Amino acid sequence: MPRVFVSYTHDSEEHKDAVLHLAHALSANGVSVCLDRWHLERQDWYTWAVREIESADFVVVVASARYRTVTDGYGTPTENLGLQCEAAILREKLQGERPLWTRKILPVLLPGRGIGEIPLVFQPNSGNHYPIADYTTDGMEDLLRVIHGKPAYERPMPGTPPPLPPRTVTLPTPHAVELPTPHPVVPPTPHPTVINTITGGEVHGNIIQAGGNVTQN
């Protein structure tokens, strides 16, 4: 059976009664609760708190405006001496073994309380906290699941890996570069040779016939 230490401040009779309702509800749901109001004998409350906090599986921190003021160091040295002792012990535990005690310290918001009443040392925004809707099992479900180690959703066992054969990649065929078709080289037309029958010589260039016979070979 999990063991829980309840840390709170005696703000008012109404607040103390609300904490007492919480302690009874936790006990009814299979939790061994340590609460100062159930110990009537005279004793050293500092050593009692050290002993009970160290032996607890979890510490339920009941948030309130006064609890935050005292725990964060803004209270007067002569007020709430019991809470000052408990807060000092919890701060010391966090400083020495932060991962362990971050898991063990559970900030709780009773009905009507807000996140701004959780002390900064217990990380109200960057850590989990547990609102209590009412003192039934359903109203405390999140807190009870953490204390009993019963998550709402369980991680499934890994299955068999699927067959995933390698894929083949077909590279595109490179296109052949088509060269332009060369134009045929046409040899120049030779100029005609003209023989002058009169003189027997060759005449080149334009021929103008003025008289006589001109033979074109």
Side-chain angles (χ1 to χ4, degrees), residues 167-173:
R167 293 181 178 180
T168 57
V169 179
T170 303
L171 297 177
T173 303

Side-chain angles (χ1 to χ4, degrees), residues 3 13-14 25 47 56-57 75 78 94-95 97 136-137 147 157 167 182 191 195 200 208:
R3 182 173 175 79
E13 290 300 321
E14 180 183 2
T47 58
D57 297 302
T78 58
L94 276 173
Q95 184 70 19
E97 297 178 279
T136 64
T137 301
I147 293 174
M157 294 296 294
R167 293 181 178 180
H191 295 288
I195 300 175
I208 301 175

Side-chain angles (χ1 to χ4, degrees), residues 144-206:
L144 291 173
R145 286 189 177 278
V146 172
I147 293 174
H148 288 291
K150 300 290 185 181
Y153 306 98
E154 293 186 351
R155 180 184 299 178
M157 294 296 294
T160 304
L164 297 171
R167 293 181 178 180
T168 57
V169 179
T170 303
L171 297 177
T173 303
H175 296 287
V177 178
E178 295 184 1
L179 299 176
T181 304
H183 297 287
V185 178
V186 179
T189 303
H191 295 288
T193 303
V194 178
I195 300 175
N196 192 332
T197 56
I198 300 174
T199 62
E202 295 182 359
V203 178
H204 301 281
N206 298 326

Side-chain angles (χ1 to χ4, degrees), residues 34-145:
C34 179
L35 184 70
D36 59 352
R37 297 184 73 181
W38 293 340
H39 297 269
L40 299 178
E41 66 276 12
R42 184 177 185 272
Q43 58 183 306
D44 183 340
W45 289 104
Y46 177 80
T47 58
W48 172 85
V50 171
R51 182 176 65 253
E52 295 297 339
I53 288 173
E54 289 187 337
S55 63
D57 297 302
F58 298 97
V59 176
V60 166
V61 170
V62 182
S64 67
R66 188 64 187 165
Y67 196 108
R68 175 169 179 169
T69 298
V70 173
T71 304
D72 284 343
Y74 296 107
T76 61
T78 58
E79 295 179 328
N80 300 103
L81 298 182
L83 177 59
Q84 288 190 48
C85 290
E86 294 177 12
I89 296 167
L90 294 177
R91 288 195 301 265
E92 191 67 21
K93 292 297 184 181
L94 276 173
Q95 184 70 19
E97 297 178 279
R98 179 165 294 274
L100 173 63
W101 285 89
T102 296
R103 180 184 63 83
K104 293 181 67 169
I105 296 174
L106 308 178
V108 167
L109 298 176
L110 296 182
R113 298 292 182 172
I115 190 174
E117 296 176 286
I118 299 174
L120 290 176
V121 69
F122 300 140
Q123 299 174 262
N125 295 297
S126 61
N128 298 65
H129 61 276
Y130 303 92
I132 303 297
D134 53 53
Y135 301 107
T136 64
T137 301
D138 291 340
M140 302 186 301
E141 180 179 352
D142 290 344
L143 178 62
L144 291 173
R145 286 189 177 278

Side-chain angles (χ1 to χ4, degrees), residues 4 6 16-35 37-38 110 134-137 140 144:
V4 166
V6 178
K16 290 192 294 183
D17 288 345
V19 174
L20 187 61
H21 285 312
L22 173 65
H24 278 281
L26 290 173
S27 297
N29 282 275
V31 180
S32 176
V33 179
C34 179
L35 184 70
R37 297 184 73 181
W38 293 340
L110 296 182
D134 53 53
Y135 301 107
T136 64
T137 301
M140 302 186 301
L144 291 173

